[in-house]
Amino acid sequence: MVASEATPFAKTGGLADVMGALPQALNAGGDEVGVVLPRYRGIALEGAQRVYADLTIWLGLAQWKVDIYRTESAGVPYYLVDSPALYDRDGIYGDGDGDYKDNHIRFAVLSQAALAIVRHVWRPDVVHCHDWQAALVPVYIRQLLAADPTFLGLRVLFTIHNLSYQGKFPLEILPEIGMDPRTVSTSALELAGEVNLLKAAIVSADAISTVSEGYAREIQEPELGFALDSFLRARANVLHGILNGVDYGSWSPENDACIAAPYSAGDLAGKQICKHDLLDEVGLPSANMERPLLGIVSRFTNQKGFDLVAEVAGELVAEDLALVALGSGQPEYERMFGDLASAHPDRFAVRVAYDNRLAHKIEAGSDIFLMPSWFEPCGLNQMYSLRYGSVPVVRATGGLDDTIEETTGFKFREYSGAALLETIRTALTAWKDRAAWTSMMRRGMGKDFSWNSSAARYSELYRDLLR
């Protein structure tokens, strides 16, 4: 596998969680997996073995020297591409001034280094690339290495974790990634007058996957296709939706070290303790124990549906509920939650931060978990919420629609504030019937979205590619 981040080495989002958990689950199922990623600042090399020194990578006329180190996490080998000039920086993709201007070069070197590992260190049957940062791997194989016997029979699977991030750059960068228009065809890389690395992988890989069946359908339509829907429809016969899994070792109320008390579907007493603890943590009065408590853990962006929340904020205040929100993002939504908390400090609380410990407390202490996303390729928090007995209210899109049933949560389809508000009100009414609500909680807690089934589907797909 080739990716730009993986836990426990480097993380900005859900991709890292996948790259930490999926290889481990595949290994447990009998597959042999290795992961290639950059060695960013802060990734220690203690105990790592240097398996290739002074590897020379040419991109056009530019030469890059890298070392390859092998280390392990949970029994999975990770190959770290060490190039301080490219990766020893404050951020993974950018800093306070925005994305790094040489990201095309940084991830072209990652892709070339992965292919050098295939040639010199370990040759797999399948190279599984993730998101635009690894999109050049199939392009290089098709365009530059088609006649190289090392790569004959090698198959490439490309996974889209979020179609809206596409790796767009000016056409002038083509020589800087080793794709000089004078010597190779660059048509696969071009879209609308610029380089589009995601499009390049879509048309070049042997197969494509994305992180839920619903999202695989949605990205073939113009609304959520982000100008790539026609290319995805053209490859619909090799496009697969495979739902991400959940690490129940970290996200389960029976053994969660972050929460105030353990509990389970068979013994829910600890959930009330967790609710009281959450109220204390965020400074809300204990009178809210008698109200439904809504939880939010999210990036505060339009993608996550916070324009709808803003649209109905005034009506939410009028409902007999309490709300705790954790996250950060667009300033207008940070202000919105801040204003709600300032105006109604007895029922609304917000933390503008990334706080893993508080995220666990919100999952455990909430009665209802809110995810009104415009689009959601997979989503993990709704699956966490099911396990924690925090009944989800979600928009029926992508992985949210695939994982939440009418018997385990509440869904709305129309992307409007009115539809969101109506569904929240339906959930608030249902909460008053404690026996029926407890049954719904228990049904959700019994759902299994572990990585085992997802890994088995990937393993089957790898074998299909080799037939």
Side-chain angles (χ1 to χ4, degrees), residues 109-280:
V109 168
L110 173 67
S111 298
Q112 287 280 14
L115 296 173
I117 291 169
V118 170
R119 182 189 300 280
H120 298 293
V121 180
W122 178 56
R123 189 192 186 282
D125 299 305
V126 176
V127 179
H128 185 173
C129 304
H130 297 262
D131 274 351
W132 72 261
Q133 294 89 353
L136 282 167
V137 169
V139 178
Y140 289 145
I141 291 174
R142 299 287 174 265
Q143 296 272 11
L144 305 180
L145 302 168
D148 189 324
T150 301
F151 299 93
L152 291 178
L154 188 72
R155 298 292 182 256
V156 179
L157 172 65
F158 182 77
T159 294
I160 300 165
H161 293 263
N162 189 328
L163 192 73
S164 66
Y165 300 110
Q166 299 185 0
K168 297 179 181 180
F169 301 94
L171 289 175
E172 291 73 29
I173 64 96
L174 284 167
E176 296 177 4
I177 60 174
M179 301 297 292
D180 192 330
R182 296 172 297 181
T183 57
V184 299
S185 170
T186 59
S187 59
L189 289 138
E190 295 184 36
L191 181 65
E194 59 187 352
V195 172
N196 188 305
L197 296 182
L198 199 66
K199 180 243 181 175
I202 289 169
V203 303
S204 301
D206 295 296
I208 307 153
S209 71
T210 191
V211 291
S212 70
E213 292 182 0
Y215 194 57
R217 294 189 297 270
E218 289 172 351
I219 60 177
Q220 296 181 62
E221 301 298 328
E223 180 186 0
L224 294 178
F226 291 95
L228 296 177
D229 51 289
S230 62
F231 301 102
L232 290 160
R233 287 195 300 274
R235 306 218 63 200
N237 61 321
V238 293
L239 174 59
H240 308 266
I242 302 177
L243 191 72
N244 284 340
V246 171
D247 177 7
Y248 288 124
S250 300
W251 292 93
S252 185
E254 293 92 342
N255 53 23
D256 190 334
C258 296
I259 66 177
Y263 61 94
S264 66
D267 182 2
L268 289 167
K271 178 126 179 110
Q272 286 297 97
I273 298 173
C274 291
K275 181 175 180 178
H276 198 282
D277 175 68
L278 174 59
L279 294 172
D280 283 346

Side-chain angles (χ1 to χ4, degrees), residues 260-334:
Y263 61 94
S264 66
D267 182 2
L268 289 167
K271 178 126 179 110
Q272 286 297 97
I273 298 173
C274 291
K275 181 175 180 178
H276 198 282
D277 175 68
L278 174 59
L279 294 172
D280 283 346
E281 179 81 17
V282 299
L284 291 179
S286 58
N288 290 297
M289 292 294 294
E290 306 306 317
R291 295 188 176 98
L293 178 59
L294 276 64
I296 294 171
V297 179
S298 180
R299 288 183 290 116
F300 297 160
T301 65
N302 288 334
Q303 182 208 323
K304 299 297 185 178
F306 288 104
D307 53 332
L308 301 189
V309 177
E311 187 180 328
V312 299
E315 287 89 344
L316 283 179
V317 167
E319 298 292 332
D320 187 24
L321 59 81
L323 184 146
V324 178
L326 169 67
S328 61
Q330 293 174 226
E332 61 267 34
Y333 301 133
E334 293 183 2

